[in-house]
Amino acid sequence: MITIKGILDKVTYQNRENHYTVAKLRIPKISDPVTIVGYLAGVVEGEGLEISGKWVSHPRYGDQFKAQSYKVVLPATVSGIRKYLGSGMIKGIGKSLAEKIVDYFAENTLDIIENEPEKLKRIHGIGEVKKNRIEKAWNKHHSVRRVMQFLQENDVGVYHAATILQTYGSEALNILQHDPYVIARDIPQIGFPIADMIAMKAGVQKDDENRLQACLIHILLSFEQEGHVYGLKQEVFLSGSRTSGVEPDKFEQALKALTDSDDIKIQIDDDETKLYLKRLYHAESGIASRMKAILSCVKNVASLPQQVGKDKILEEVLTKIAVKLSKEQLNVVTKVLHEKIVVITGGPGTGKTTLIRALCEIFKLQNQKVVLSAPTGRAARRLSEVTGKQAFTLHKLLGFDHESQTFEKNFANPLELDIFIVDEASMVDTQLMYCLIEALPVFASLIIVGDTFQLPSVGPGNVLSDIIDSNRVKVFFLTKIFRQAKQSPIIMHAHSIRNGEMPDLQKPGEGQLSEFYFIENQRPEKVVETILELCSKRIPQAFPHIDEIQVLTPMHRGEAGTINLNQQLQKVLNDSKGGIAAGGITFKANDKVMHLKNNYDKEVFNGDIGIIHEIIKSENKVMVDYDGRIVEYDILELDELALAYAISVHKSQGSEYAAVIIALTTAHFPLLQRNLLYTAMTRGKKLVVIVGSSKAMELALNNNKTALRLTGLKQKLMSV
């Protein structure tokens, strides 16, 4: 590893969340500053830095020094200290006051401010208030330096250190020194290994109960990341043993302590001991008990302003939305009117959206207030488009507060409505469903619409399937595929995949056009090459607009993952010059981009796709067009954007595109599942092209892994 020293001359870019930084370091006796890249938390221009790392070569920006660790080098000479304090870097110390302090304490100045600030009151003009202000400003400025130094001494990488700083701010050092295992709860992915490293270095024993408790919480959080709501005790103990290096039976006392403190809930069913994190147990139990309460309030149809018979339903729907309901659809609409909670489920082409539109018209006729919702912004917009009525994201409807991570609407402050319709319900996880149903007035009705064969929620649980399988609510299974849908190879092949059957992969006859194509390519690099040709030459002949074509792939990494595909597609699809670099991506005008997290200030949400309208390089700004609405990002906010020529199948849920290209190779093996392939197929409206191997297709069809999620909602619903 190489170490270089210098003065931080200019911070070109810094991500406020993870502290990834691009900066210029001025090194003595070298005329041009060196470009530094890496996770540099708490550095400011003018400070001395000692950075360890290695030289790397960027294809566009040339030689750069990649930082792996660093420390702030405080000046040691009187002249250096005078310049440092007089720079205004420490708020409360201006140039004249800096002169007085350095004249009095000389080379001991910085040590006095850091360790004996009371002595500052010896200087004329510094009283208790001024001293406190200087001490507070110094600590705020140098808290990051202290944390980074502590973590690096404990072999914690700079990237993870930045995550810890983001989570705890100025309290980070105190937490790390006194109870590092706290971070095992708060930062699931990295918390326990880092806390353990620090604690073991400090002399904590392997069988220390605090350590074993943190390990158990860490294991259950890991299970949650995989979609499970609970873990089986034996499996949790074995996993904890592998992680901690102690025997499984050593965890008994730690588990007792965690159940006594109510951090973990135990449920015993059929000789199986299930371990729940408290919030997930309460969420599952809350869904079951709230559903029971709503179902117990029988719907009084007779009290409605107008009772509607079958003939009136047919007439009203035909008049308002120009659709003649099928016998199956009419039966569903008629019965839904009498139910408190219902589920409407079915595959593509079975008329779920038509039913929503029809129900809205009938409820309107009865003067009932209907609210439409969906889990994501994209799904809500699509619901609005197909129904012609406003739809909301669940988070917006429930009044999510980003700061407190809580919802405004709840049991004590319920929603004002009569009918609550939730579309794309397969995407709703356990905790969101709990918040949703808690905010529902007990007199209201809930209509849950979704396709159980779609990918399950990113969060824990299998809510839609569990509600259906519990037999506690009325479920309407739509099975009839309508004539126009039967003529669509996309829909028919999707139903084959849903049933675990290999679709017909034969090419259409010479001169014939089809909605579905399979292009056999065994090698990932050949898959990429074919996708580039399809997107740049062939498909644009029928779908010329960039937002009509969407490439989907199961993974982010690898040759046929989103990262590489986006880089390659940008090269062939966007010849715009210039651009602005951030986080390893160069964004250019006309790029297709995706917003990565909910931003309530900008009213842009996770998964929203737009086109870069303009780049104002002189102001470090990027303007993105979201369906005609221009949203401004400064360079520090570009970590919220990613290229979206290719996106993951998970990110595509709730959306539809005119043309979809699916990359499917055996290299995607860890994520090849039947419901993933089914979800990808059903995103395409007019054209679906699968590029990959039939072997990968077989692997996906034979893997129905979703059923393996550990959830207890079905049993709880059945028992209430």
Side-chain angles (χ1 to χ4, degrees), residues 313-314 317-318 321 323-330 333 354-355 358 482:
I313 291 172
L314 284 171
V317 173
L318 186 60
I321 64 173
V323 171
K324 183 178 181 181
L325 295 177
S326 69
K327 189 175 180 181
E328 181 183 59
Q329 289 174 321
L330 179 60
V333 172
T354 299
L355 273 177
F482 287 89

Side-chain angles (χ1 to χ4, degrees), residues 305-341:
Q306 181 174 351
Q307 294 186 53
V308 188
K310 287 188 176 183
D311 291 341
K312 184 63 177 175
I313 291 172
L314 284 171
E315 178 190 340
E316 192 70 16
V317 173
L318 186 60
T319 303
K320 295 295 175 62
I321 64 173
V323 171
K324 183 178 181 181
L325 295 177
S326 69
K327 189 175 180 181
E328 181 183 59
Q329 289 174 321
L330 179 60
N331 180 55
V332 172
V333 172
T334 306
K335 289 182 177 177
V336 165
L337 298 179
H338 297 79
E339 299 292 337
K340 289 286 291 175
I341 302 177

Side-chain angles (χ1 to χ4, degrees), residues 678-699:
Y678 173 76
T679 300
M681 276 283 294
T682 53
R683 299 311 91 201
K685 290 192 289 187
K686 298 179 180 178
L687 176 67
V688 170
V689 182
I690 297 178
V691 184
S693 69
S694 49
K695 176 65 175 175
M697 179 89 81
E698 288 176 14
L699 289 171

Side-chain angles (χ1 to χ4, degrees), residues 299-529:
K299 191 164 185 176
N300 187 0
V301 180
S303 68
L304 295 174
Q306 181 174 351
Q307 294 186 53
V308 188
K310 287 188 176 183
D311 291 341
K312 184 63 177 175
I313 291 172
L314 284 171
E315 178 190 340
E316 192 70 16
V317 173
L318 186 60
T319 303
K320 295 295 175 62
I321 64 173
V323 171
K324 183 178 181 181
L325 295 177
S326 69
K327 189 175 180 181
E328 181 183 59
Q329 289 174 321
L330 179 60
N331 180 55
V332 172
V333 172
T334 306
K335 289 182 177 177
V336 165
L337 298 179
H338 297 79
E339 299 292 337
K340 289 286 291 175
I341 302 177
V342 300
V343 174
I344 299 173
T345 186
T350 56
K352 294 190 298 296
T353 303
T354 299
L355 273 177
I356 294 175
R357 294 172 66 197
L359 285 166
C360 285
E361 295 303 331
I362 303 306
F363 289 131
K364 183 179 178 182
L365 191 65
Q366 295 180 322
N367 293 327
Q368 291 190 284
K369 183 179 179 181
V370 180
V371 173
L372 299 178
S373 64
T376 67
R378 289 165 295 130
R381 274 194 300 277
R382 181 166 160 255
L383 185 58
S384 293
E385 289 166 4
V386 297
T387 62
K389 302 180 186 302
Q390 187 173 13
F392 304 89
T393 65
L394 288 169
H395 281 76
K396 186 167 186 177
L397 192 65
L398 297 174
F400 183 68
D401 184 294
H402 189 63
E403 292 296 320
S404 65
Q405 297 286 299
T406 58
F407 290 97
E408 175 192 341
K409 297 295 182 181
N410 50 41
F411 179 80
N413 181 28
L415 294 161
E416 295 179 5
L417 48 74
D418 298 303
I419 311 292
F420 193 9
I421 299 179
V422 182
D423 195 19
E424 296 286 357
S426 64
M427 300 169 69
V428 179
D429 65 29
T430 301
Q431 287 194 283
L432 184 54
M433 177 56 78
Y434 172 59
C435 295
L436 177 166
I437 204 157
E438 276 284 289
L440 192 67
V442 73
F443 61 79
S445 296
L446 175 63
I447 298 173
I448 303 168
V449 184
D451 183 348
T452 55
F453 284 84
Q454 299 274 11
L455 283 170
S457 56
V458 174
N462 217 346
V463 174
L464 180 60
S465 292
D466 280 352
I467 291 173
I468 292 171
D469 294 343
S470 72
N471 293 318
R472 287 287 286 131
V473 303
K474 188 71 175 177
V475 180
F476 297 100
F477 295 93
L478 302 180
T479 57
K480 180 184 176 183
I481 303 172
F482 287 89
R483 187 176 60 184
Q484 63 270 32
K486 282 184 177 178
Q487 295 169 356
S488 166
I490 296 173
I491 289 176
M492 299 314 293
H493 288 332
H495 279 275
S496 295
I497 290 167
R498 181 178 180 173
N499 297 328
E501 301 165 0
M502 178 67 79
D504 183 3
L505 303 182
Q506 295 298 313
K507 291 182 180 179
E510 188 70 32
Q512 290 183 317
L513 295 177
S514 176
E515 290 183 356
F516 174 81
Y517 295 87
F518 177 81
I519 301 175
E520 180 84 43
N521 283 141
Q522 298 290 338
R523 302 197 321 273
E525 60 270 24
K526 187 65 178 174
V527 169
V528 174
E529 184 184 316

Side-chain angles (χ1 to χ4, degrees), residues 601-628:
D601 294 329
K602 295 184 187 294
E603 293 190 5
V604 186
F605 301 97
N606 186 4
D608 284 352
I609 289 180
I611 305 294
I612 294 182
H613 174 71
E614 183 184 10
I615 290 179
I616 309 172
K617 198 157 188 182
S618 60
E619 300 178 24
N620 279 335
K621 289 182 179 176
V622 173
M623 318 298 286
V624 180
D625 183 344
Y626 292 101
D627 297 322

Side-chain angles (χ1 to χ4, degrees), residues 621-667:
K621 289 182 179 176
V622 173
M623 318 298 286
V624 180
D625 183 344
Y626 292 101
D627 297 322
R629 190 170 71 90
I630 305 298
V631 176
E632 177 184 302
Y633 295 78
D634 67 39
I635 193 168
L636 296 178
E637 296 173 317
L638 292 183
D639 58 300
E640 296 183 20
L641 288 180
L643 294 177
Y645 299 101
I647 64 174
S648 69
V649 179
H650 277 89
K651 284 288 188 184
S652 74
Q653 270 191 284
S655 293
E656 281 188 340
Y657 313 94
V660 163
I661 304 168
I662 304 167
L664 200 70
T665 76
T666 51

